Amino acid sequence: MRVNSLKPFPYEPGAPAPLRLRVKKEIRFGECDPMGVVWHGNYAQYFEEAREVFSRACGLGFDVLQRAGVVFPVKTLFFDYCKPLRYGREYIVEIVAHWSEAMRVNAEYFIFDQQEELCTRGFSVQLLVDVQGRLVLDAPPFYQEFKDNWAKGNFSGFQNTQRIF
Amino acid sequence: MRVNSLKPFPYEPGAPAPLRLRVKKEIRFGECDPMGVVWHGNYAQYFEEAREVFSRACGLGFDVLQRAGVVFPVKTLFFDYCKPLRYGREYIVEIVAHWSEAMRVNAEYFIFDQQEELCTRGFSVQLLVDVQGRLVLDAPPFYQEFKDNWAKGNFSGFQNTQRIF
Amino acid sequence: MRVNSLKPFPYEPGAPAPLRLRVKKEIRFGECDPMGVVWHGNYAQYFEEAREVFSRACGLGFDVLQRAGVVFPVKTLFFDYCKPLRYGREYIVEIVAHWSEAMRVNAEYFIFDQQEELCTRGFSVQLLVDVQGRLVLDAPPFYQEFKDNWAKGNFSGFQNTQRIF
Amino acid sequence: MRVNSLKPFPYEPGAPAPLRLRVKKEIRFGECDPMGVVWHGNYAQYFEEAREVFSRACGLGFDVLQRAGVVFPVKTLFFDYCKPLRYGREYIVEIVAHWSEAMRVNAEYFIFDQQEELCTRGFSVQLLVDVQGRLVLDAPPFYQEFKDNWAKGNFSGFQNTQRIF
């Protein structure tokens, strides 16, 4: 796989616009390392938190997948660390999901500090597989609904919304 | 940054051979997720464990860096998940460090299960910075020594060694 | 130390009333174990989150302590697990701080699920020490202020408040 | 529950001697907090590692329990922090299991640094429950075997053994 990590998912003309959602959180003491900053490995949790809020908002929550007998494991994950996050502050995770014709979710992440400076960026690719770990080739109903909603612009409500919780 | 994630650090003719080291560990229960497999975010710990054994073996341990007033933060990190690791088993992390003329450590990682099947691969780039976070441009003595040793083949001892701990 | 874990800090007649604060959070996928429930070791994070919100609300934040050259490490910690928390739900952590004449914070914790059923309870004792790890015997100004405010009832505002974030 | 935390499981005359096992490990960087020491919440992992080595050595491994349709969740857990563990060192976890007539495992833990100084001590109680979470009242065959082996002194082999891995 060749990847341009600054533009991992180039926009395809005619595709529905990316979906965008922001989550604001406080850094936990136990997430920081001896340098006084968030330990680099903990950003996987930060990405996942935003992805989960996004998933539930789009009808792709864990319970929905479980009923359909499928899972959405992370296949690839990338981090580019630009500026450390110090303990005692809040951070914002912005997830940007890019349209794909395949049964995968391509997402970019941007983590900002309280001054809205970019601290970490990255991306993930998730693939839909069944419980035996085989790629799902036909879209299950819940997934078709998700894509239809996206194509029709039904998720535009949270596209520019900052959700704080 | 454009990256070929299957070959992130192409070999440059004339460069010293890559350094290779293996670490064998047991999966902790608390590292596994509701799917019964190692949670994808925990592989950052697994990579770091191998990197630390490697660093100490090469004279790049945390104490050495601290005395020199520098740190070696992770700048980029990539994971490609191929096969999940199940709880109750051991795993092997193989780190392969690639020569670079710059003051950076380019490392690939390969995680295997007990059957020596590849489960996760990835890479990291670390940059040498001072405590103010500025890039170090002149090699500190400990670092020059590390590169000299590598160039002279002094680390060949552990190149094919499996260290179990 | 002998402890009655159901009543670790018995009320002393005449002491200011305990302080009480609630924090509501969502369970992270990576915090759950192969049983599909929050891994028991992760409750230390949940307790700490409530303790940090409480500390900041009382003028005992990490930055205040750092300026005073002291820390407030956890000396003892206890957990009693009553009912597991399942992934996909929210939880509430209630912290109840009990008055002490000494320079220590005695806190109880109660974790509830969305149905307000008790899932985990426990307590912690924190002792004020200087950076060399020696017990602080004279109250620093910030700490005296904290106790004065408590004694005067100045924290009553958040005593029955549920803070959601 | 009233507990003497320094002597949580008093010896009952006539009971088989406690079982004792030691595990030696290296501290991970990501397990340390901004004070440069192991974050207090991570000791739950350290206790669990020793408990798992102990369990497997005694025929109480996760796979055995799974086949029997039971689990052994932690019911109570206590930590007393005496001296911090600094990054860059090794630590030793000693688990001491105390005989109980009931279907529970009462275990004490002692964590030492490289100088064999006591850093953290604590205990856990685990109860045998079925998958519905109900207490198991009749000993399953694997558990009866475990107790028979203990009573007969068959585990004496590892009683004074230090296992390093």
Side-chain angles (χ1 to χ4, degrees), chain C residues 66-94:
Chain C
Q66 214 165 18
R67 279 195 296 273
V70 296
V71 282
F72 230 146
V74 174
K75 173 56 181 158
T76 56
L77 185 60
F78 178 78
F79 300 93
D80 183 12
Y81 304 99
C82 308
K83 187 192 162 190
L85 271 174
R86 303 223 142 256
Y87 174 63
R89 313 283 166 74
E90 293 176 331
Y91 62 91
I92 295 153
V93 193
E94 182 171 322

Side-chain angles (χ1 to χ4, degrees), chain B residues 26 28-31 45-46 48-49 52 56 62 87 91 163 165, chain D residues 26 28-31 45-46 48-49 52 56 62 87 91 163 165:
Chain B
E26 286 178 51
R28 294 167 165 180
F29 182 75
E31 290 170 349
Q45 288 264 25
Y46 292 7
E48 190 166 77
E49 283 183 314
E52 292 193 310
R56 281 194 297 267
F62 190 67
Y87 174 64
Y91 62 92
R163 175 170 161 190
F165 76 112
Chain D
E26 287 179 49
R28 295 167 165 180
F29 182 75
E31 291 169 351
Q45 287 264 26
Y46 292 6
E48 190 166 77
E49 282 182 316
E52 291 192 310
R56 280 193 298 267
F62 190 66
Y87 174 63
Y91 63 91
R163 173 168 162 191
F165 77 112

Side-chain angles (χ1 to χ4, degrees), chain C residues 106-163:
Chain C
N106 295 335
E108 278 186 286
Y109 306 84
F110 302 89
I111 294 182
F112 301 97
D113 61 16
Q114 283 178 306
Q115 288 77 43
E116 291 277 343
E117 280 194 64
L118 182 63
C119 293
T120 298
R121 59 183 297 168
F123 66 83
S124 69
V125 171
Q126 289 167 274
L127 298 179
L128 201 62
V129 299
D130 64 20
V131 284
Q132 276 81 39
R134 289 172 306 209
L135 275 178
V136 173
L137 299 177
D138 296 310
F142 81 89
Y143 197 77
Q144 194 54 54
E145 198 181 341
F146 159 66
K147 294 192 76 170
D148 290 348
N149 276 324
W150 189 348
K152 287 175 193 159
N154 292 348
F155 295 133
S156 59
F158 67 85
Q159 243 171 298
N160 298 299
T161 311
Q162 178 164 329
R163 175 170 161 191

Side-chain angles (χ1 to χ4, degrees), chain A residues 24-31 45-46 48-49 52-53 56 62 87-88 90-91 163-165, chain C residues 25-31 45-46 48-49 52-53 56 62 87-88 90-91 163-165:
Chain A
K24 196 176 184 176
K25 309 280 285 192
E26 287 178 49
I27 297 169
R28 294 166 166 180
F29 182 76
E31 290 169 350
Q45 287 265 25
Y46 291 8
E48 190 167 78
E49 283 182 315
E52 292 192 311
V53 173
R56 281 194 296 269
F62 190 67
Y87 174 63
E90 291 177 333
Y91 63 92
R163 175 169 160 191
I164 301 173
F165 75 112
Chain C
K25 308 280 284 191
E26 286 179 50
I27 298 169
R28 294 166 165 181
F29 182 75
E31 291 169 349
Q45 288 264 25
Y46 292 7
E48 190 167 76
E49 284 183 314
E52 292 193 310
V53 173
R56 282 193 297 268
F62 190 67
Y87 174 63
E90 293 176 331
Y91 62 91
R163 175 170 161 191
I164 301 174
F165 76 113

Side-chain angles (χ1 to χ4, degrees), chain A residues 108-150:
Chain A
E108 276 187 288
Y109 306 83
F110 302 89
I111 294 183
F112 302 97
D113 61 15
Q114 282 177 307
Q115 288 76 42
E116 290 278 343
E117 280 194 64
L118 181 65
C119 293
T120 298
R121 57 183 297 168
F123 66 82
S124 68
V125 171
Q126 290 167 273
L127 298 179
L128 201 63
V129 299
D130 63 21
V131 285
Q132 275 82 39
R134 290 171 305 205
L135 277 177
V136 173
L137 300 177
D138 296 310
F142 81 91
Y143 197 76
Q144 193 55 52
E145 199 182 342
F146 159 66
K147 294 193 76 171
D148 290 348
N149 277 324
W150 190 346

